[in-house]
Amino acid sequence: MKILAIETSCDETAAAVIEGAEKDLKVELLSNIISSSIKLHAKTGGIIPEKAAREQVKYIIPVIKKALSRAKTKLSDIDSLAVTVGPGLIGSLLVGVETAKTLAYVLNKPIVSVNHLIGHIYANFITTNEQRLTTNKKLGVSSQKLVVEFPAIALIVSGGHTDLVLMKKHGDLKWLGGTRDDAAGEAFDKIGRLLGLPYPGGPAIEKAAKNGNSKRFLFPRPMIDSDDFDFSFSGLKTAVMRQVTGSFPRNRRGQDDIADLSASVQQSIIDVLIKKTLKAAQKYNVKSILLGGGVSANQKLREDLKSLILNHKSSIKFFAPAKNFCTDNAAMIGAAAFFNYKPVLWKKVTTNPDLYFD
Ligand code: KG4
Ligand code: ZN
C-alpha cells in the first residue's frame, strides 16, 4: 500500500511517499521532502504564524511534486493520502489539509487524519533495519530483537509539547502527563534567546554546550521528584534570566560563560526528562522507550538516557528516530497512518489546531 503523506503544522512544508507491507508491518520510505522556513523565522527570533502560513502556500505544490517524482510514483498509483490535522498553527495546518482534501476528491482516494504528536512517536517506525541494527548494537541488544515491543513509553519533546505517553499497542495510547507551562523545546528556544544565541535555541544551545561545564551553574530541576508525570520549564527560564542579568550582562559575557550556561541548562532539562521517563517505564513495566520530537535530536539526551538504561542492566529497548526524523517531517505522518489505518472520505476530514490525545 502506497501513502502520500503531507505535514504542514508549523514552519515545515513536508511530503513523503511511504510503502507499507501488510504482512510484516514494515514501512519503507520511498521519498521524504522537507522545505523549511526556519531561516525566515531566525530573522525575527521566533515564528510569526502568518508568515509561516504564507510560506506553506508557496511550497506545498512543489514539495508534493518532488516527493512523487523522487518516489517514482504517479498520483494515480497512490492508495491513500495522510495528512496532519493538528495540533499546530491554524493557517499552516489548513494549507496541508485543504491540499490533501482536494487531491483526495479529484483522485477519488481516501484520507487518514493524523495527530502530529502521534506522528512524532511513529518516527521510530520508519527507521530502516540498518539504522535499528546500529542503534541496538551500541546498546548491546541482540540484533534479533530489533522491533519496538509493547508496552512502550514514548516521550514526545518538541517546540510546542512535552508529553509522556503509554503505548500498549498500535492505536492504544494513554497520556500520562505533560508540561504545565513551556514545552522543553520552547524552553530551549527562550533560553537561547536570553543567552544571545540564534533561533532555534535547541540546536544552538547543544552546540555551545559542547565546550561547556555543566556543573558550573546549578539550575533548578523543576518537578523532578513530583508524584506525577507532569513537567514545568518556565521557572528554569526565570532562573537563567536572573543569572544572566545579575552576573553576565551582555558586555561581561565571554564565550566560556555562554558555553557553561548552555551546558548547565541543557543538563537541567535533560535530567528532568530522563527521570520522569524512567519512572514511567518502571511503573508500567515497559519493554521499550521511544523518543520523538525536535528535542529528541539532542545527542546528550539520547546518550544519557541510553546509558542510564544500560547502567540499570535493564532489558528495556531504547529507540530514538534518525535525526532527520526528529524534527517535523511527513514520513512520520505516513508511518502513523499506515499503522493506524482508518481511511475516510475527504468530506470527513477537519483541521483541529487544538487536537490532543483522546
Ligand atoms: O518537533 P519540532 O520540529 O517542531 C514542533 O513540533 O514543535 O521541534 C522543534 C523544537 C524547537 O524548539 C528546537 O529548538 C528543538 O525542537 N530542537 C532541539 C534540538 N533540535 C531541535 N532541542 C534541543 N537539542 C537539539 N539538538
Ligand atoms: Zn513537531
Side-chain angles (χ1 to χ4, degrees), residues 35-54:
S35 165
S36 174
S37 57
I38 204 157
K39 285 201 179 120
L40 188 76
H41 307 302
K43 288 185 200 154
T44 43
I47 294 170
I48 297 175
E50 172 64 20
K51 278 195 179 173
R54 287 186 200 188

Side-chain angles (χ1 to χ4, degrees), residues 148-182:
V148 172
E149 278 185 58
F150 298 119
I153 284 289
L155 172 70
I156 307 162
V157 268
S158 71
H161 293 269
T162 303
D163 293 296
L164 267 173
V165 178
L166 173 66
M167 192 175 182
K168 290 187 192 149
K169 57 180 183 196
H170 293 296
D172 187 350
L173 303 184
K174 187 178 171 217
W175 182 81
L176 302 177
T179 186
R180 294 186 180 176
D181 40 56
D182 291 354

Side-chain angles (χ1 to χ4, degrees), residues 322-338:
K323 292 212 177 166
N324 53 328
F325 296 139
C326 289
T327 42
D328 292 350
N329 64 86
M332 67 185 196
I333 303 303
F338 175 70

Side-chain angles (χ1 to χ4, degrees), residues 116 120 158-160 185-186 188-189 200-203 206 293-295 297-298 326-328:
H116 180 80
H120 273 305
S158 71
E186 193 179 353
F188 271 113
D189 294 339
E206 176 170 30
V295 179
N298 187 287
C326 289
T327 42
D328 292 350

Side-chain angles (χ1 to χ4, degrees), residues 197-240:
L197 295 170
Y199 177 86
I205 287 181
E206 176 170 30
K207 194 168 161 214
K210 286 219 168 84
N211 307 312
N213 171 8
S214 63
K215 298 203 169 68
R216 179 163 161 206
F217 301 98
L218 189 64
F219 289 125
R221 267 75 175 150
M223 296 184 72
I224 195 161
D225 290 317
S226 71
D227 200 18
D228 52 30
F229 296 111
D230 284 350
F231 301 88
S232 162
F233 291 110
S234 71
L236 181 59
K237 180 186 62 194
T238 313
V240 178

Side-chain angles (χ1 to χ4, degrees), residues 194-342:
L194 282 175
L195 299 180
L197 295 170
Y199 177 86
I205 287 181
E206 176 170 30
K207 194 168 161 214
K210 286 219 168 84
N211 307 312
N213 171 8
S214 63
K215 298 203 169 68
R216 179 163 161 206
F217 301 98
L218 189 64
F219 289 125
R221 267 75 175 150
M223 296 184 72
I224 195 161
D225 290 317
S226 71
D227 200 18
D228 52 30
F229 296 111
D230 284 350
F231 301 88
S232 162
F233 291 110
S234 71
L236 181 59
K237 180 186 62 194
T238 313
V240 178
M241 189 163 70
R242 281 215 192 96
Q243 186 77 58
V244 171
T245 47
S247 329
F248 302 104
R250 221 165 257 279
N251 56 350
R252 289 217 313 266
R253 207 186 291 165
Q255 282 309 311
D256 286 355
D257 301 322
I258 300 283
D260 294 346
L261 286 161
S262 296
S264 303
V265 80
Q266 174 177 260
Q267 199 58 51
S268 156
I269 295 174
I270 289 174
D271 285 353
V272 181
L273 293 176
I274 291 183
K275 179 109 191 251
K276 290 263 160 118
T277 305
L278 291 176
K279 190 175 130 186
Q282 202 173 15
K283 176 167 179 186
Y284 294 98
N285 204 10
V286 301
K287 294 189 175 143
S288 311
I289 292 179
L290 319 177
L291 285 184
V295 179
S296 63
N298 187 287
Q299 192 61 25
K300 188 76 172 45
L301 169 64
R302 295 157 81 105
E303 278 168 13
D304 281 8
L305 185 50
K306 231 192 259 181
S307 57
L308 267 174
I309 294 172
L310 272 184
N311 286 350
H312 281 84
K313 302 217 174 350
S314 158
S315 59
I316 296 176
K317 292 202 254 171
F318 171 68
F319 295 85
K323 292 212 177 166
N324 53 328
F325 296 139
C326 289
T327 42
D328 292 350
N329 64 86
M332 67 185 196
I333 303 303
F338 175 70
F339 284 103
N340 303 276
Y341 194 65
K342 289 194 191 111

